[in-house]
Amino acid sequence: MPYESINDALIECVRACGGSKSAGVALWPTKGVEAAQRHLLACLNPERNEKLSPNELMLLLRLARDKGCHAGMQQLSHELSYAQPAPIEPKDELAELLRQNLEAHRESQRRQDRIERLLQPAASLRSVA
């Protein structure tokens, strides 16, 4: 780290995913093993016109991340002069999302209680008249 190019880092990601056959099939399951492999190798060859789409790049980075490989993300950060990213463990992300969800539910309940309090006097006035 750093790699010579983003393609070199992506090749490392492909290796972490089990090689070009496995990664190719994960990216393009309908192509078949050999065709997907050839297409992926062409996409990672700077001499070829084939390139990964933004969504395909994201999927490859995500697959590599799931295998513990952060080479692609680290290379992007290096080349774009960002601080090195720190991966978040899925269980930590889940815990944070659950915490945020609980807080949002509590806030929603507070708003609902306030609405009911504001509507209550108007309803009681109507019943008196």
mmCIF file of all heavy atoms in Angstrom, residues 4 11 16 23 28 30 38 61 76 78 83 97 106 116 120-121:
data_model
loop_
_atom_site.group_PDB
_atom_site.id
_atom_site.type_symbol
_atom_site.label_atom_id
_atom_site.label_comp_id
_atom_site.label_asym_id
_atom_site.label_seq_id
_atom_site.Cartn_x
_atom_site.Cartn_y
_atom_site.Cartn_z
ATOM 1 N N GLU A 4 0.360 0.863 -7.312
ATOM 2 C CA GLU A 4 0.740 1.672 -8.474
ATOM 3 C C GLU A 4 -0.463 2.405 -9.060
ATOM 4 O O GLU A 4 -0.349 3.521 -9.532
ATOM 5 C CB GLU A 4 1.364 0.783 -9.558
ATOM 6 C CG GLU A 4 2.739 0.267 -9.225
ATOM 7 C CD GLU A 4 3.805 1.329 -9.451
ATOM 8 O OE1 GLU A 4 3.700 2.096 -10.425
ATOM 9 O OE2 GLU A 4 4.735 1.377 -8.629
ATOM 10 N N ILE A 11 -7.311 -5.348 -8.423
ATOM 11 C CA ILE A 11 -6.849 -6.730 -8.642
ATOM 12 C C ILE A 11 -6.642 -7.424 -7.299
ATOM 13 O O ILE A 11 -6.986 -8.600 -7.133
ATOM 14 C CB ILE A 11 -5.570 -6.742 -9.513
ATOM 15 C CG1 ILE A 11 -5.939 -6.342 -10.952
ATOM 16 C CG2 ILE A 11 -4.864 -8.094 -9.466
ATOM 17 C CD1 ILE A 11 -4.756 -6.034 -11.844
ATOM 18 N N ALA A 16 -8.815 -11.238 -3.175
ATOM 19 C CA ALA A 16 -9.453 -11.473 -1.874
ATOM 20 C C ALA A 16 -10.826 -12.121 -2.024
ATOM 21 O O ALA A 16 -11.275 -12.852 -1.139
ATOM 22 C CB ALA A 16 -9.577 -10.153 -1.109
ATOM 23 N N ALA A 23 -15.118 -13.572 -8.503
ATOM 24 C CA ALA A 23 -15.528 -12.164 -8.515
ATOM 25 C C ALA A 23 -16.340 -11.845 -9.761
ATOM 26 O O ALA A 23 -17.335 -11.110 -9.700
ATOM 27 C CB ALA A 23 -14.297 -11.256 -8.438
ATOM 28 N N TRP A 28 -21.434 -10.448 -12.413
ATOM 29 C CA TRP A 28 -22.320 -10.705 -13.551
ATOM 30 C C TRP A 28 -22.780 -12.163 -13.534
ATOM 31 O O TRP A 28 -22.296 -12.986 -14.328
ATOM 32 C CB TRP A 28 -21.592 -10.392 -14.859
ATOM 33 C CG TRP A 28 -21.029 -9.014 -14.903
ATOM 34 C CD1 TRP A 28 -21.720 -7.847 -15.041
ATOM 35 C CD2 TRP A 28 -19.652 -8.651 -14.799
ATOM 36 N NE1 TRP A 28 -20.862 -6.785 -15.024
ATOM 37 C CE2 TRP A 28 -19.581 -7.247 -14.879
ATOM 38 C CE3 TRP A 28 -18.464 -9.367 -14.646
ATOM 39 C CZ2 TRP A 28 -18.377 -6.551 -14.807
ATOM 40 C CZ3 TRP A 28 -17.274 -8.681 -14.568
ATOM 41 C CH2 TRP A 28 -17.235 -7.288 -14.651
ATOM 42 N N THR A 30 -25.286 -13.684 -14.664
ATOM 43 C CA THR A 30 -25.947 -14.224 -15.862
ATOM 44 C C THR A 30 -24.978 -14.474 -17.013
ATOM 45 O O THR A 30 -25.357 -15.102 -18.000
ATOM 46 C CB THR A 30 -27.056 -13.272 -16.346
ATOM 47 O OG1 THR A 30 -26.480 -12.004 -16.652
ATOM 48 C CG2 THR A 30 -28.134 -13.111 -15.285
ATOM 49 N N ARG A 38 -13.558 -13.351 -18.138
ATOM 50 C CA ARG A 38 -12.918 -12.605 -19.233
ATOM 51 C C ARG A 38 -13.293 -11.119 -19.177
ATOM 52 O O ARG A 38 -12.441 -10.252 -19.347
ATOM 53 C CB ARG A 38 -13.309 -13.194 -20.587
ATOM 54 C CG ARG A 38 -12.520 -14.421 -20.984
ATOM 55 C CD ARG A 38 -12.730 -14.807 -22.446
ATOM 56 N NE ARG A 38 -14.135 -14.933 -22.823
ATOM 57 C CZ ARG A 38 -14.872 -16.020 -22.656
ATOM 58 N NH1 ARG A 38 -14.334 -17.102 -22.121
ATOM 59 N NH2 ARG A 38 -16.136 -16.048 -23.028
ATOM 60 N N LEU A 61 -15.890 -3.486 -4.398
ATOM 61 C CA LEU A 61 -15.337 -2.974 -3.146
ATOM 62 C C LEU A 61 -16.057 -3.567 -1.939
ATOM 63 O O LEU A 61 -15.440 -3.905 -0.927
ATOM 64 C CB LEU A 61 -15.399 -1.450 -3.106
ATOM 65 C CG LEU A 61 -14.499 -0.706 -4.093
ATOM 66 C CD1 LEU A 61 -14.773 0.788 -4.043
ATOM 67 C CD2 LEU A 61 -13.034 -1.000 -3.823
ATOM 68 N N LEU A 76 -8.227 4.530 -3.300
ATOM 69 C CA LEU A 76 -9.029 5.713 -3.657
ATOM 70 C C LEU A 76 -8.717 6.869 -2.714
ATOM 71 O O LEU A 76 -8.506 8.002 -3.159
ATOM 72 C CB LEU A 76 -10.531 5.381 -3.591
ATOM 73 C CG LEU A 76 -11.083 4.508 -4.712
ATOM 74 C CD1 LEU A 76 -12.518 4.108 -4.397
ATOM 75 C CD2 LEU A 76 -11.006 5.220 -6.047
ATOM 76 N N HIS A 78 -6.029 7.348 -0.951
ATOM 77 C CA HIS A 78 -4.657 7.808 -1.193
ATOM 78 C C HIS A 78 -4.582 8.703 -2.432
ATOM 79 O O HIS A 78 -4.014 9.791 -2.392
ATOM 80 C CB HIS A 78 -3.730 6.600 -1.349
ATOM 81 C CG HIS A 78 -2.338 6.962 -1.746
ATOM 82 N ND1 HIS A 78 -1.438 7.517 -0.869
ATOM 83 C CD2 HIS A 78 -1.705 6.881 -2.941
ATOM 84 C CE1 HIS A 78 -0.311 7.759 -1.507
ATOM 85 N NE2 HIS A 78 -0.445 7.371 -2.771
ATOM 86 N N ALA A 83 -7.974 11.224 4.169
ATOM 87 C CA ALA A 83 -7.464 10.405 5.263
ATOM 88 C C ALA A 83 -7.878 8.964 5.014
ATOM 89 O O ALA A 83 -8.910 8.701 4.393
ATOM 90 C CB ALA A 83 -8.044 10.895 6.594
ATOM 91 N N LEU A 97 -27.451 1.935 14.206
ATOM 92 C CA LEU A 97 -28.743 2.103 13.532
ATOM 93 C C LEU A 97 -29.902 1.805 14.474
ATOM 94 O O LEU A 97 -30.917 2.519 14.468
ATOM 95 C CB LEU A 97 -28.819 1.217 12.290
ATOM 96 C CG LEU A 97 -27.950 1.649 11.122
ATOM 97 C CD1 LEU A 97 -27.938 0.577 10.044
ATOM 98 C CD2 LEU A 97 -28.422 2.977 10.559
ATOM 99 N N ARG A 106 -38.705 7.414 19.921
ATOM 100 C CA ARG A 106 -39.002 8.217 21.122
ATOM 101 C C ARG A 106 -39.382 9.640 20.743
ATOM 102 O O ARG A 106 -40.321 10.203 21.303
ATOM 103 C CB ARG A 106 -37.798 8.216 22.064
ATOM 104 C CG ARG A 106 -37.585 6.901 22.762
ATOM 105 C CD ARG A 106 -36.370 6.939 23.645
ATOM 106 N NE ARG A 106 -36.195 5.668 24.324
ATOM 107 C CZ ARG A 106 -35.035 5.232 24.773
ATOM 108 N NH1 ARG A 106 -33.937 5.949 24.612
ATOM 109 N NH2 ARG A 106 -34.957 4.060 25.367
ATOM 110 N N GLU A 116 -51.497 15.417 20.781
ATOM 111 C CA GLU A 116 -52.693 15.030 21.526
ATOM 112 C C GLU A 116 -53.028 16.046 22.613
ATOM 113 O O GLU A 116 -54.198 16.375 22.823
ATOM 114 C CB GLU A 116 -52.516 13.629 22.111
ATOM 115 C CG GLU A 116 -52.556 12.554 21.036
ATOM 116 C CD GLU A 116 -52.233 11.162 21.560
ATOM 117 O OE1 GLU A 116 -52.172 10.972 22.802
ATOM 118 O OE2 GLU A 116 -52.036 10.273 20.719
ATOM 119 N N GLN A 120 -56.496 18.212 22.704
ATOM 120 C CA GLN A 120 -57.400 17.888 23.803
ATOM 121 C C GLN A 120 -58.229 19.089 24.269
ATOM 122 O O GLN A 120 -59.431 18.968 24.395
ATOM 123 C CB GLN A 120 -56.606 17.288 24.961
ATOM 124 C CG GLN A 120 -57.462 16.489 25.910
ATOM 125 C CD GLN A 120 -56.603 15.692 26.848
ATOM 126 O OE1 GLN A 120 -55.460 16.042 27.095
ATOM 127 N NE2 GLN A 120 -57.161 14.607 27.387
ATOM 128 N N PRO A 121 -57.654 20.259 24.542
ATOM 129 C CA PRO A 121 -58.482 21.383 24.992
ATOM 130 C C PRO A 121 -59.525 21.772 23.954
ATOM 131 O O PRO A 121 -60.657 22.081 24.292
ATOM 132 C CB PRO A 121 -57.479 22.520 25.198
ATOM 133 C CG PRO A 121 -56.175 21.857 25.385
ATOM 134 C CD PRO A 121 -56.257 20.588 24.591
#
